[in-house]
Amino acid sequence: MNLSRCRTAFCIFHLVAASAAASDPIAKAGNGIPILSPIDKTTVEVKDGAKTIQIPAGMVFVPAGKFTFGRNEERDLPGFAMGRFEVTNAEYKAFVDATKHRGVPRYWKNGTYPEGKAAHPVLFVSLVDAEAYCQWISQETGWKVVVPSAEQWEKAARGPQAFLYPWGNDKDSSYGGGKLQTHFNYNAVCTAYMLDKEAKTITSYVDKSKEAGKQGRVEDIMTSNGQVFSLTSDGGVNGWIDHNTNTGFVNTQIYRNLVDNGGFTTAVGTYESGKSAYGCYDMAGNAYEWTSSVIVATNGAEKGKEVNDVRGGSWYSTGRSGQSLCTGEGRARSGGYHSVGFRIAMIP
């Protein structure tokens, strides 16, 4: 990670004090940081110039000011706090248990998430569910907690230098000798694991595929145009999916099993080198994140439809999708999706 960026972030957001003792954590992030109850009222003081501001302990502060939005548009925002991590399964369960909310992710069984995934981002939650989660925290704490706008999300992700990814302007991934080097969790991470641990496993194409019922080893999966399931030297993925014939890895039973278990997510905070200059983790990869902003999608099944902007890519998507700009991806606010979670923001 760029040390000059670390020093800048530290000077702006120097941690001063906690207002009260925190409750016991309900999970631990991949880097060991405790994840507190969503309604834990512990706050910290941060310095924003001459001002001192109180924000929730699980958040970072993004100061007021101008920033680059999109390719070269200058915009201005007041200061706000942003979740350090994506909302986790453990946090969402605390909400469901307290409110009896009915929007339970489809991969949960008997009212809870899969074993070992407490600190993984919650998926299959609609924007409606995310807004209900924010409303609950607001009511319990007195804070103004919201799903961030696309502007807030992008500023928090790109940092003062307006990087295209949270860490810089390049994906900066590589693959060689069976090892993947990357700053974030995108489809190459799943691919590398499958080729290392499950290469000889027998799987079959699912019913909607042109090759439905055909069996073979994971390492031999391919699309109809002949792309074998594999990684390129720059961390790209071949043989992931062919939308025309429903072939490739995404159309196999082993992939479907992954989705049924909450996807190939990683614990939030796993990728230290991938955090933004403001201190937000996983703003590239792991899970797409809802925003409150509406766009006309230019990508995917939603192309041409008015939907809510989702940002940051996911465990399922390509490395390019991890860019901090709008990539044209959007989803219907009432839907739950296998690669979409969310992060919260707070207006001090």
Side-chain angles (χ1 to χ4, degrees):
M1 186 173 184
N2 187 307
L3 291 178
S4 65
R5 287 170 54 213
C6 288
R7 295 190 191 103
T8 300
F10 181 78
C11 290
I12 297 174
F13 311 115
H14 174 57
L15 179 63
V16 179
S19 66
S23 60
D24 291 336
I26 59 174
K28 280 192 176 180
N31 56 8
I33 294 177
I35 297 172
L36 304 178
S37 163
I39 55 173
D40 187 292
K41 296 182 181 179
T42 307
T43 60
V44 295
E45 293 179 352
V46 293
K47 289 289 187 182
D48 181 25
K51 296 185 295 183
T52 298
I53 298 173
Q54 294 277 351
I55 65 169
M59 291 187 154
V60 301
F61 187 68
V62 181
K66 295 179 179 179
F67 69 104
T68 300
F69 185 78
R71 289 295 172 183
N72 52 22
E73 184 180 347
E74 186 177 83
R75 296 194 182 181
D76 202 347
L77 280 177
F80 61 95
M82 181 71 90
R84 180 178 287 108
F85 302 123
E86 296 160 319
V87 174
T88 62
N89 284 304
E91 290 170 296
Y92 194 76
K93 186 176 187 303
F95 159 63
V96 169
D97 290 348
T99 64
K100 310 306 179 188
H101 185 74
R102 297 179 67 181
V104 177
R106 60 174 258 193
Y107 61 95
W108 288 19
K109 302 294 187 292
N110 300 316
T112 193
Y113 46 82
E115 184 178 357
K117 288 202 168 185
H120 289 227
V122 66
L123 304 175
F124 282 109
V125 286
S126 69
L127 179 55
V128 176
D129 294 327
E131 289 170 340
Y133 178 88
C134 292
Q135 184 177 20
W136 171 63
I137 297 176
S138 298
Q139 289 173 343
E140 294 294 325
T141 62
W143 301 329
K144 186 179 179 182
V145 175
V146 297
V147 175
S149 67
E151 290 179 313
Q152 290 170 326
W153 194 97
E154 187 168 324
K155 183 174 183 180
R158 299 182 71 178
Q161 294 179 271
F163 288 137
L164 297 182
Y165 291 88
W167 55 86
N169 287 322
D170 298 307
K171 182 182 69 175
D172 196 24
S173 297
S174 62
Y175 180 74
K179 299 294 183 182
L180 176 69
Q181 302 294 326
T182 182
H183 298 289
F184 65 124
N185 179 11
Y186 65 107
N187 67 353
V189 176
C190 178
T191 302
Y193 175 86
M194 286 292 160
L195 294 176
D196 182 40
K197 304 296 185 183
E198 303 286 351
K200 307 300 182 184
T201 299
I202 301 297
T203 188
S204 60
Y205 286 98
V206 295
D207 49 12
K208 69 176 184 178
S209 173
K210 179 183 177 183
E211 304 290 339
K214 181 178 178 181
Q215 291 189 326
R217 297 181 303 189
V218 167
E219 63 184 353
D220 297 326
I221 291 168
M222 66 173 62
T223 56
S224 288
N225 61 6
Q227 272 197 355
V228 177
F229 187 48
S230 58
L231 281 158
T232 62
S233 60
D234 65 347
V237 177
N238 291 324
W240 184 255
I241 188 171
D242 182 328
H243 291 287
N244 294 321
T245 59
N246 291 322
T247 52
F249 177 72
V250 169
N251 291 288
T252 63
Q253 187 60 48
I254 195 169
Y255 169 82
R256 182 173 285 183
N257 293 343
L258 277 180
V259 172
D260 289 343
N261 197 48
F264 202 80
T265 54
T266 43
V268 297
T270 294
Y271 291 87
E272 189 69 29
S273 66
K275 72 179 180 181
S276 76
Y278 293 123
C280 292
Y281 290 82
D282 299 298
M283 296 198 87
N286 222 7
Y288 274 113
E289 298 176 20
W290 284 112
T291 76
S292 60
S293 301
V294 175
I295 63 168
V296 175
T298 58
N299 251 341
E302 294 79 13
K303 185 175 180 179
K305 298 178 181 178
E306 192 172 88
V307 288
N308 279 81
D309 195 0
V310 295
R311 292 297 188 101
S314 72
W315 68 272
Y316 166 87
S317 57
T318 66
R320 182 184 175 280
S321 298
Q323 289 189 12
S324 302
L325 309 179
C326 177
T327 58
E329 292 282 347
R331 303 287 187 272
R333 61 178 283 110
S334 59
Y337 304 90
H338 73 294
S339 60
V340 181
F342 70 106
R343 184 185 307 258
I344 61 174
M346 190 273 271
I347 311 303

